[in-house]
Amino acid sequence: MYRKISIGLVSLLAVFQLQAQSVKTITLKEAIDLGYTNSKQLMVSNAKVKEAQAKLAEAKDRALPDVGVSGTYLHINTPNISMSNSSSSNSGSSSDSPLAAFSSLHDIGLAQLTASMPVFNGMKIRNTKIMNDYLQQAAQYDAQTTKSQVAINTIKAVYQYYELQQSRRTIEENLKHEQQRVTEFKNLESQGLLARNDRLKAELQANNVELALTEVNNSVKVAEYNLTILLGLPDDTAIQLDTTSMFDLAKLTTWEESLQNGLANRTEIKSTDLQIKASESGYKIAKADRLPTLAVSAGYVNAYIPNVLTVTNAVNGGLSLKYSITGAIHAKHSMHEAKARFDQATAYNQMATDQVKLDVRQKFLKSQEMLDKLVINERAIEQAQENFQISQNKYKQGLLILSDYLDADVALLRTKIDYFTTRAESMIAYYELQESMGTLQ
């Protein structure tokens, strides 16, 4: 009696708590979109893409002329100026001295406009632009890789939440049957038609089911909270899954098709391919330090020195050729570094290719395994249901002991839970296979 009251109060409290929460019904696609929006990993990857784009724009700007404007103004005191070889006898008036003007010099002004542009620098500018272009594309592929990881993590969280919800519903239904059996056994015991030991066995099994329900309730709350954090929802949100299209499967591919899709579509391989090309351009940049540089320059100067000099509209232009002998000697070290980066990129590309092959193989076999398990579990439910019905009939006829009857009940419950677990894991395995092939949408 007290147990029924306590269970009723708990159920009523759960209803009130659910009403206090904001309920959100979402589909799998909506969950994935929310995962994209809220993913901190994806924010970091997108920031890296923007950084790479900024470096590419900077590399392009270096092809433009380097233009500069400068201005100088100096104020000085009255200087003492004398010439050591001058004599008082033949100097004449001090105003006739060529340095007389400097005695009243107090201000100097200079304005200058310069422009220079490299004509040849070993193709450094061009190769820098090409390298940053490859790196920017590689960063975009890295962001796509992160996006696929966010999607698969969200998919796992959604199906694990579904699995726990179904398990809880199954256990709740089983607990009702167990409690009904306990009530029936108590009535039979009061009439002297059932041994006390049998009634205790039924109560013990009901207690075990209630303990299992307590555990799964906690697991559901943890999974729901994890999902709300993952999707960026308020903490008090109650999530309801729209399972309308959660179990729709596209046509499955063969192993050979899966492998070819993986090698052709995986962004990790595409990213490392671009890293190799970028390191090739990096080697060319390092090699350019061994070559001379040729630049064209032009300038415009205005100068003003009161009582001494005034210069206006002074335009200049010319070519400059520079060759650094020390830079050419040191260039071999930069070339060795660039070659080492190229070797690393090549090795990473090979590692990524091998990892994709292994990943596709594992996910393909896992997907096939879960589909086979799903068929077996569907058959097992039918067998467990039939076994329970037979056991129940035999027990009522006195042809079966209570322990075997209760074992059949437990077997049916376990089989139902295993079915929902396998159903969820089969969909996770399916999407993991799509992710390994680079076709997860």
Side-chain angles (χ1 to χ4, degrees), residues 69-75 107-112 302-305:
V69 178
S70 63
T72 302
Y73 169 78
L74 297 176
H75 180 76
D107 301 283
I108 297 177
L110 177 67
Q112 187 175 10
N302 275 353
Y304 174 67
I305 303 177

Side-chain angles (χ1 to χ4, degrees), residues 66-174:
D66 183 13
V67 180
V69 178
S70 63
T72 302
Y73 169 78
L74 297 176
H75 180 76
I76 59 178
N77 64 343
T78 302
N80 296 321
I81 303 174
S82 63
M83 298 181 64
S84 58
N85 56 351
S86 62
S87 60
S88 58
S89 59
N90 56 7
S91 60
S93 175
S94 60
S95 59
D96 296 333
S97 172
L99 299 179
F102 289 98
S103 63
S104 59
L105 178 62
H106 298 289
D107 301 283
I108 297 177
L110 177 67
Q112 187 175 10
L113 172 66
T114 60
S116 64
M117 182 174 181
V119 178
F120 175 80
N121 62 351
M123 308 297 288
K124 264 189 174 183
I125 295 177
R126 178 178 179 276
N127 286 321
T128 300
K129 183 177 70 174
I130 292 174
M131 181 183 70
N132 282 280
D133 188 21
Y134 286 140
L135 292 176
Q136 181 256 346
Q137 295 179 51
Q140 289 181 335
Y141 281 125
D142 291 339
Q144 292 180 23
T145 300
T146 303
K147 190 175 181 180
S148 295
Q149 293 171 352
V150 170
I152 202 65
N153 289 337
T154 305
I155 288 170
K156 286 181 179 179
V158 168
Y159 280 104
Q160 287 168 356
Y161 181 57
Y162 163 83
E163 170 199 341
L164 291 169
Q165 281 188 319
Q166 295 301 316
S167 297
R168 179 173 64 180
R169 186 175 293 111
T170 301
I171 294 175
E172 287 174 343
E173 293 175 356
N174 184 263

Side-chain angles (χ1 to χ4, degrees), residues 272-343:
T272 53
D273 284 339
L274 291 167
Q275 294 284 353
I276 291 176
K277 294 179 180 179
S279 61
E280 290 177 344
S281 297
Y283 180 80
K284 294 177 181 178
I285 294 172
K287 189 177 181 180
D289 289 335
R290 302 173 63 179
L291 302 175
T293 59
L294 178 65
V296 59
S297 62
Y300 176 83
V301 179
N302 275 353
Y304 174 67
I305 303 177
N307 303 319
V308 178
L309 177 69
T310 300
V311 179
T312 59
N313 298 323
V315 179
N316 62 79
L319 296 173
S320 63
L321 179 65
K322 179 181 178 181
Y323 181 75
S324 175
I325 299 176
T326 304
I329 295 174
H330 292 167
K332 65 179 182 180
H333 303 300
S334 300
M335 292 170 62
H336 290 159
E337 292 177 8
K339 180 62 168 59
R341 285 193 290 269
F342 173 80
D343 294 339

Side-chain angles (χ1 to χ4, degrees), residues 225-271:
Y225 188 73
N226 175 63
L227 198 54
T228 57
I229 296 298
L230 197 63
L231 304 184
L233 300 175
D235 291 351
D236 61 345
T237 303
I239 298 177
Q240 291 184 354
L241 297 178
D242 183 354
T243 60
T244 304
S245 58
M246 274 183 59
F247 296 93
D248 295 340
L249 293 177
K251 182 181 177 182
L252 298 178
T253 59
T254 63
W255 153 243
E256 290 77 11
E257 292 174 336
S258 300
L259 179 60
Q260 292 303 318
N261 285 333
L263 294 176
N265 299 324
R266 283 289 287 269
T267 51
E268 294 95 324
I269 296 178
K270 294 180 179 180
S271 177

